């Protein structure tokens, strides 16, 4: 249901009266550039737009008024530059079958979009505020564009049609890959409004939402469907509106009074979300009482719009990824699992409803030619279509892929430390030991230090260990009861993960080449050679590793620390080389784990670094490491040891 069409704006300032939107949107303006993007008008400061002019007010709504911006520029761009990724278009140049042909998307010229920014030629606030589009009468414009949406009611036909398109066309990525269905689980019968046992083959939706505070709420009251929070009541209505009968909600479908059943249901939540026909994501508000925007009286934000000079200008609304990343829902660890395990997502934000399956994405405010944007077999969007709300949707077996998810996951808040494992049980030891922190965190003693789950803090989106540096370290695993096992091969990996003892693995026995070093504090240092001057940049905290290789010569490395390293100042540590330090081919790309050995002989990881950036000091002078045989010096200090890392 669209918003009522507004009447023509009357109160315009002298500057806005002169803007010729007919020429801008028809590409007849003399300012039309050779480039795809150019500015139309310098509007001055954002504060200057509060002059009572209706069009200036619209521009202000599309600008960032929270900052003291000196300039506000009105720009225009082509729809293809918003819909398609230029880098991907270049990358897929030789694969034309996997690229979108804009001639199939629009009739005639590509549509024009306006946006505000603090300077020309950059997207500025478009990601956060959206673009301004000239809304066409339904059926009269190109088959790609944008539309007005109702602030009061979401368009359930949009959601229903999107689900139907996915079911009819998409392949394995949008179908259940597990052979097992959830074992004995409950669902809410939305017609009868009661919790029932799910029958074999039951088709149901799942709900992902923020629980909020339950302080002062009894466990028994959490099972009362007659007085359920608004988000659950709204989700029941949405389920029925979309012609489904059953809804899975953890609050009611997991018996909160039965610890055994609760544990069983939590352990199979991956199957529950993966088998759901779609997941309703409540990405608005900060608790269950907020409800779903566009349902049962919860209003969405007003879509900025204005009718002027015969054009209905309306916001395309914020980019889906901005809406999601700025929600409370996106800060929770459990909701991250619920998202990546789902194959289809119906996302309610304060602006609009979004549909994202594992093969395409679609926003309620958009008009898209889905067939054109899909590959020839219609199984997925073409590679040059820009991402939607989620850049990473389904993890694969490649460790590099998995770390993208870990980087996202570790940004989130966890209600309990154990959630770090319960919410994402993915293990990779090929490169996995070389994860590293963006900023130092704090220990979670419930888990081993070699695992990202053993620390708070965000993990970087990448590994220290590179493909050019093969991992040659021998690994064995020790469980809590002292049993030591060989590290499983990939052929036996699933069998290993299925063992009950896997979650009790606490200690790694790492056999490899080690070095002794000391934590020292340094400032940025300048050095000179006969040809160049260079600078040795130390981390912001100033703490680095010193390797004494001779009486008057030292080698330095700058790690990424896992903790506040000031407590280790002056302490002797051990470095474990992941790779073959005796082979000079890999000397400049070694990954090194930094560990601290305790009195009981058990070590804890405290950082990770690479040998790519090495600095050498000789006779108290900084010298160019490229002109020294620093690795030959370090090799003499190598010692083959087995480190027990907990």
């Amino acid at each position: 249901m669209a918003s009522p069409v507004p009447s023509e704006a009357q109160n315009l300032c002298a500057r806005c009266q002169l803007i010729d939107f007919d020429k801008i949107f028809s590409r007849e303006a003399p300012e039309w550039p050779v480039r795809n993007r150019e500015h139309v008008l310098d509007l001055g400061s954002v504060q200057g737009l509060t002059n009572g002019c209706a069009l200036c007010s619209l521009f202000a709504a599309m600008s960032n008024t929270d900052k003291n911006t000196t300039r506000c520029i009105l720009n225009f761009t082509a729809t293809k530059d918003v819909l398609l990724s230029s880098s991907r278009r270049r990358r897929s140049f030789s694969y034309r079958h996997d690229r979108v042909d804009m001639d199939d998307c629009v009739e005639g010229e590509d549509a024009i979009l306006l946006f505000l920014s603090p300077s020309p030629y950059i997207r500025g606030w478009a990601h956060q505020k959206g673009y301004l589009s000239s809304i066409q009468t339904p059926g009269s414009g190109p088959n790609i564009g944008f539309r007005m949406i109702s602030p009061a009611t979401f368009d359930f036909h949009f959601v229903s049609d999107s689900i139907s398109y996915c079911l009819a066309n998409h392949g394995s990525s949008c179908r259940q890959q597990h052979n097992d269905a959830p074992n004995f689980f409950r669902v809410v019968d939305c017609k009868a409004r009661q919790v029932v046992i799910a029958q074999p083959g039951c088709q149901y939706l799942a709900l992902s939402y923020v629980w909020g505070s339950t302080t002062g709420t009894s466990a028994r009251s959490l099972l009362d469907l007659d007085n359920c929070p608004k988000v659950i009541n709204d989700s029941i209505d949405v389920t029925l509106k979309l012609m489904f009968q059953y809804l899975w909600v953890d609050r009611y479908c997991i018996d909160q009074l039965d610890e055994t059943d609760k544990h069983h249901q939590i352990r199979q939540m991956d199957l529950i979300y993966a088998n759901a026909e779609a997941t309703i994501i409540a990405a608005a508000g900060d608790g269950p009482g907020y409800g779903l925007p566009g349902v049962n009286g919860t209003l969405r934000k007003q879509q900025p719009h204005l009718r002027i000079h015969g054009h209905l200008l309306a916001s395309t609304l914020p980019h889906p990824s901005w809406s999601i990343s700025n929600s409370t829902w996106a800060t929770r660890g459990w909701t991250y699992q619920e998202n990546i395990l789902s194959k289809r997502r119906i996302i309610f934000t304060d602006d609009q409803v979004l549909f994202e399956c594992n093969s395409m994405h679609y926003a309620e405010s958009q008009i898209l030619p889905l067939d054109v944007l899909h590959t020839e077999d219609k199984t997925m969007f073409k590679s040059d279509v820009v991402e939607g709300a989620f850049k990473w949707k389904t993890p694969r077996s490649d460790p590099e892929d998995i770390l993208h998810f870990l980087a996202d996951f570790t940004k989130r808040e966890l209600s309990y430390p154990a959630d770090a494992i319960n919410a994402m049980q993915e293990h990779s030891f090929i490169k996995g030991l070389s994860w590293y922190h963006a900023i130092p965190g704090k220990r979670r003693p419930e888990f081993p230090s070699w695992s990202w789950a053993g620390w708070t803090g965000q993990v970087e989106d990448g590994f220290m260990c590179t493909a050019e540096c093969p991992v040659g370290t021998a690994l064995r695993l020790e469980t809590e009861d002292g049993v030591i096992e060989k590290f499983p091969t990939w052929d036996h990996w699933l069998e290993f993960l299925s063992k009950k003892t896997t979650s009790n693995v606490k200690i790694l026995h790492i056999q490899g080449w080690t070095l002794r070093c000391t934590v020292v504090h340094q400032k940025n240092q300048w050095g000179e050679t006969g040809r160049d001057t260079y600078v040795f940049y130390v981390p912001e905290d100033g703490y680095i590793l010193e390797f004494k290789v001779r009486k008057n010569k030292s080698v330095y490395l700058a790690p990424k620390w896992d903790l506040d390293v000031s407590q280790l100042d002056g302490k002797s540590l051990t470095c474990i080389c992941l790779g073959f330090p005796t082979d000079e081919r890999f000397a400049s790309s070694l990954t090194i784990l930094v560990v601290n050995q305790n009195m009981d002989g058990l070590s804890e990881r405290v950082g990770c670094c690479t040998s790519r950036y090495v600095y050498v000091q000789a006779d108290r002078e900084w010298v160019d490491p490229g002109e020294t045989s620093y690795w030959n010096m370090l090799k003499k200090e190598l010692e083959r040891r087995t480190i027990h890392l907990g």
Side-chain angles (χ1 to χ4, degrees):
M1 182 176 131
S3 298
V5 178
S7 57
E8 186 80 14
Q10 300 296 324
N11 51 330
L12 299 176
C13 67
R15 177 183 58 194
C16 290
Q17 289 178 12
L18 297 177
I19 299 178
D20 193 335
F21 288 104
D22 287 336
K23 286 188 176 182
I24 291 173
F25 288 113
S26 65
R27 295 183 181 239
E28 295 178 4
E31 300 90 352
W32 183 257
V34 175
R35 291 180 297 273
N36 286 331
R37 197 162 56 243
E38 182 63 273
H39 75 278
V40 177
L41 189 63
D42 189 336
L43 301 174
S45 67
V46 174
Q47 291 74 17
L49 297 176
T50 57
N51 56 11
C53 169
L55 184 54
C56 285
S57 296
L58 177 63
F59 292 153
M62 302 295 292
S63 306
N64 189 347
T65 56
D66 297 331
K67 296 181 180 179
N68 185 22
T69 307
T70 57
R71 295 181 71 193
C72 181
I73 308 296
L74 178 65
N75 305 266
F76 57 78
T77 187
T79 303
K80 67 179 180 181
D81 285 341
V82 175
L83 178 67
L84 306 180
S85 167
S86 58
S87 61
R88 291 187 175 190
R89 287 203 302 275
R90 289 193 295 270
R91 189 162 61 244
S92 61
F93 180 79
S94 60
Y95 303 96
R96 299 192 63 86
H97 64 280
D98 194 35
R99 297 170 55 204
V100 176
D101 188 342
M102 289 303 296
D103 291 339
D104 295 332
C105 294
V106 296
E107 299 173 4
E109 292 283 3
D110 190 8
I112 298 301
L113 298 174
L114 301 176
F115 65 97
L116 281 299
S117 70
S119 61
Y121 318 129
I122 65 172
R123 291 295 170 90
W125 305 303
H127 193 74
Q128 175 183 353
K129 298 291 186 175
Y131 297 83
L132 282 173
S133 174
S134 180
I135 305 298
Q136 304 293 322
T137 304
S140 65
N143 58 348
I144 183 170
F146 300 89
R147 62 174 181 152
M148 294 286 294
I149 62 173
S150 167
T153 308
F154 85 101
D155 185 352
F156 74 91
H157 291 296
F158 156 75
V159 177
S160 180
D161 291 346
S162 299
I163 293 175
S164 297
Y165 191 97
C166 176
L167 288 170
N169 296 290
H170 293 162
S172 59
S173 62
C174 291
R175 295 173 186 162
Q176 184 49 256
Q177 296 300 299
H178 299 283
N179 294 323
D180 296 331
N183 178 29
F184 185 78
F185 72 109
R186 306 173 186 85
V187 289
V188 175
D189 184 332
C190 297
K191 291 183 178 178
R193 293 188 72 90
Q194 62 183 19
V195 178
V196 299
I197 302 298
Q199 299 301 310
C202 173
Q203 293 187 330
Y204 62 95
L205 302 185
L207 175 63
S208 176
Y209 67 107
V210 176
W211 266 60
S213 175
T214 57
T215 304
T217 304
S218 67
R220 188 167 299 280
S221 67
L222 293 175
L223 304 177
D224 186 5
L225 257 177
D226 293 331
N227 296 293
C228 63
K230 190 175 187 301
V231 70
I232 296 171
N233 190 62
D234 290 351
S235 297
I236 290 174
D237 290 347
V238 168
T239 301
L240 293 173
K241 196 87 169 176
L242 296 175
M243 305 303 292
F244 290 94
Q245 184 173 347
Y246 301 105
L247 175 69
W248 188 87
V249 186
D250 56 358
R251 185 173 184 142
Y252 297 100
C253 300
I254 297 177
D255 190 343
Q256 307 295 325
L257 302 177
D258 186 334
E259 286 300 320
T260 301
D261 178 74
K262 184 176 180 179
H263 178 74
H264 171 71
Q265 298 298 333
I266 288 175
R267 295 292 292 179
Q268 65 172 0
M269 280 178 65
D270 57 340
L271 294 177
I272 290 173
Y273 278 95
N275 277 280
E277 294 301 308
T279 297
I280 298 172
I281 295 179
D286 56 6
Y290 189 83
L292 299 178
V295 181
N296 295 331
T298 301
L299 298 178
R300 279 101 71 91
K301 293 178 181 178
Q302 184 70 44
Q303 185 177 9
H305 62 275
L306 181 71
R307 180 169 287 281
I308 179 172
H309 300 168
H311 292 270
L312 175 56
L313 301 182
S315 169
T316 63
L317 300 177
H319 191 277
S321 64
W322 192 92
S323 299
I324 294 296
S325 62
N326 285 274
S327 67
T328 302
W329 176 88
T331 67
R332 299 297 192 261
W334 276 107
T335 59
Y336 188 75
Q337 172 193 248
E338 294 159 3
N339 170 49
I340 66 171
L341 291 171
S342 302
K343 54 180 178 275
R344 301 182 193 92
R345 307 156 190 85
I346 307 164
I347 310 162
F348 286 79
T349 74
D350 275 320
D351 298 295
Q352 60 179 326
V353 171
L354 310 169
F355 176 83
E356 291 234 1
C357 64
N358 289 337
S359 301
M360 77 174 192
H361 49 84
Y362 204 176
E364 187 181 358
S365 63
Q366 294 176 331
I367 301 171
L368 298 179
L370 294 180
D371 286 350
V372 174
L373 299 181
H374 276 74
T375 54
E376 187 174 351
D377 59 5
K378 297 185 182 180
T379 56
M380 66 182 70
F381 264 179
K382 293 179 178 176
S383 63
D384 55 348
V385 179
V386 298
E387 291 92 0
F390 306 106
K391 184 175 183 179
W392 309 104
K393 295 181 182 180
T394 53
R396 296 171 292 181
S397 60
D398 190 327
E400 290 284 1
D401 290 337
I402 292 173
L403 203 68
H404 294 309
F405 291 88
L406 293 184
D408 281 345
F409 178 69
T410 51
K411 297 175 186 175
R412 298 191 171 213
E413 300 171 10
L414 301 172
S415 301
Y416 305 98
D419 288 351
I421 289 297
N422 287 337
M424 179 178 275
Q425 281 190 323
E426 294 288 348
H427 303 353
S428 174
F429 283 85
I430 295 179
K431 294 182 178 179
L433 290 175
S434 65
W435 57 267
Y436 59 101
H437 280 107
I439 56 175
K442 294 182 180 179
R443 278 286 283 126
R444 289 193 185 109
E446 298 90 345
F447 304 108
S449 66
W450 47 262
S451 169
W452 57 269
W455 298 86
T456 64
Q458 180 186 345
V459 175
E460 282 283 16
D461 185 2
F463 286 101
M464 284 278 189
C465 189
T466 65
E468 292 74 28
C469 177
V471 177
T473 308
L475 294 175
R476 290 180 179 267
L477 310 176
E478 181 179 337
T479 61
E480 282 185 330
D481 54 7
V483 176
I484 300 175
E485 299 185 10
K486 289 183 178 180
F487 192 80
T489 63
W490 278 111
D491 293 339
H492 299 90
W493 188 248
L494 292 178
E495 177 186 348
F496 168 74
L497 290 180
S498 66
K499 293 181 180 180
K500 292 183 179 180
T501 57
T502 299
S503 60
N504 296 324
V505 172
K506 301 293 185 182
I507 299 174
L508 289 183
H509 291 220
I510 305 180
Q511 185 184 50
W513 294 101
T514 65
L515 289 163
R516 300 296 295 178
C517 60
T518 305
V519 179
V520 297
H521 192 271
Q522 275 283 2
K523 297 180 180 180
N524 291 342
Q525 300 287 340
W526 293 90
E528 293 187 6
T529 68
R531 303 182 305 275
D532 303 302
T533 300
Y534 64 93
V535 64
F536 169 24
Y537 289 106
V538 301
E540 186 175 343
D541 55 29
Y543 290 99
I544 57 176
L545 297 176
E546 180 182 29
F547 301 82
K548 283 279 189 182
V549 292
R550 290 180 186 172
K551 183 177 180 181
N552 63 340
K553 191 168 290 188
S554 296
V555 175
Y556 296 87
L557 295 176
K560 288 285 189 177
W561 297 105
D562 297 326
L563 76 174
D564 177 6
V565 72
S566 62
Q567 58 190 288
L568 299 178
D569 189 9
K571 188 173 180 62
S572 177
L573 301 177
T574 299
C575 290
I576 308 171
C577 299
L578 299 182
F580 301 107
T582 56
D583 191 333
E584 292 191 15
R585 291 177 301 169
F586 308 114
S588 62
S589 57
L590 269 181
T591 300
I592 298 172
L593 294 186
V594 187
V595 303
N596 181 25
Q597 186 170 340
N598 300 325
M599 295 295 294
D600 57 3
L602 191 65
S603 297
E604 282 199 342
R605 174 186 151 140
V606 294
C608 187
C609 64
T610 176
S611 61
R612 291 189 196 95
Y613 309 108
V614 179
Y615 298 90
V616 178
Q617 191 180 57
D619 296 322
R620 298 186 179 182
E621 295 290 334
W622 294 96
V623 297
D624 184 355
E627 297 190 354
T628 66
S629 55
Y630 74 91
W631 192 248
N632 287 329
M633 294 186 288
L634 280 178
K635 279 168 57 176
K636 296 178 181 179
E637 308 298 322
L638 287 170
E639 180 183 0
R640 188 78 176 176
R641 297 172 58 195
T642 297
I643 303 296
H644 296 174
L645 186 59

